[in-house]
Amino acid sequence: MYSSISDAIRVEARAVPSSFAQYMEVRYCGLSSGTLGLEEAVQRCEVIASRLLSLNAEMKAMAAV
């Protein structure tokens, strides 16, 4: 469906009508980006995706100890 997590964030943030919402929260494997403005999510989608993937890797590494 999407080529990457950042692509999913970008596409879905753009798909939300401004009359419906102005903020979103990205969730990945139980982790949250926190609340972001839709335009901020579009602009920072790669940073958000990278951070969520890093946090998920850290959690997995800690669980393996």
Side-chain angles (χ1 to χ4, degrees):
M1 184 166 193
Y2 301 104
S3 62
S4 65
I5 295 170
S6 61
D7 186 41
I9 295 167
R10 182 182 312 106
V11 169
E12 294 302 325
R14 286 183 176 155
V16 178
S18 61
S19 61
F20 180 73
Q22 294 184 9
Y23 299 94
M24 70 183 290
E25 175 185 20
V26 180
R27 291 187 160 270
Y28 179 76
C29 293
L31 300 167
S32 171
S33 65
T35 303
L36 305 157
L38 292 172
E39 188 57 37
E40 180 184 6
V42 170
Q43 294 173 358
R44 299 186 60 221
C45 61
E46 291 181 22
V47 172
I48 295 163
S50 178
R51 181 69 180 144
L52 289 172
L53 288 171
S54 286
L55 288 171
N56 188 49
E58 286 180 43
M59 285 181 54
K60 285 183 177 182
M62 289 176 20
V65 174

